[in-house]
Amino acid sequence: MKNIDEKILMEEEIKQLQNKRKKLISQQKQEERKKRDRRIYEKGAVFESIFTESKNFTKDEFYQLITSLIRKEEANLKILKIIESREETESKNIENQETVTDIEE
């Protein structure tokens, strides 16, 4: 009888842990969606602030405008340069922090 009760308790604990896991995964996905939504809203707001007459554009009109303004290859090269510059800056900041830490010790 004791073994059966223990098994039942273990199964209940397993179910609770599975439910907790599902809840945590759901929360993580929701946070990722919020971050994505915020990023999209911010970039859309920047675009509208630059091209104020575009506020009432349809999705197709928006794409027409964007594709007429940029060349994809050039934009991708610029994006890569920005990322590279950011990485260099972050690397220098890390080096500076390490130097300050060494001096303080």
Side-chain angles (χ1 to χ4, degrees):
M1 188 73 162
K2 187 176 181 182
N3 276 344
I4 294 173
D5 288 339
E6 286 177 5
K7 284 183 182 181
I8 291 171
L9 284 175
M10 283 179 55
E11 287 178 13
E12 287 176 358
E13 284 182 36
I14 290 171
K15 286 181 184 178
Q16 287 177 347
L17 289 173
Q18 288 172 336
N19 288 335
K20 187 173 183 177
R21 181 179 182 271
K22 286 179 186 177
K23 185 177 180 181
L24 290 172
I25 289 171
S26 176
Q27 287 175 344
Q28 182 181 19
K29 287 180 181 179
Q30 186 177 9
E31 285 298 316
E32 289 170 2
R33 273 193 305 275
K34 283 182 181 179
K35 287 179 184 178
R36 178 182 178 273
D37 289 348
R38 181 178 177 100
R39 185 180 71 246
I40 290 170
Y41 294 146
E42 287 175 350
K43 290 180 181 180
V46 168
F47 182 87
E48 281 189 355
S49 71
I50 295 170
F51 302 101
T52 54
E53 279 79 34
S54 71
K55 289 180 182 176
N56 295 322
F57 273 16
T58 65
K59 182 178 175 182
D60 290 336
E61 292 167 337
F62 175 79
Y63 280 117
Q64 285 175 359
L65 175 63
I66 291 295
T67 54
S68 71
L69 294 176
I70 63 168
R71 293 191 178 108
K72 189 175 179 181
E73 298 81 20
E74 290 177 19
N76 282 332
L77 287 174
K78 181 66 176 173
I79 290 168
L80 292 174
K81 286 181 182 178
I82 291 170
I83 291 171
E84 190 176 296
S85 173
R86 180 193 313 153
E87 288 172 350
E88 288 175 8
T89 302
E90 289 173 355
S91 178
K92 288 178 184 177
N93 288 340
I94 290 171
E95 288 175 12
N96 289 340
Q97 288 175 350
E98 289 173 353
T99 303
V100 169
T101 304
D102 290 343
I103 293 172
E104 290 176 350
E105 291 175 353

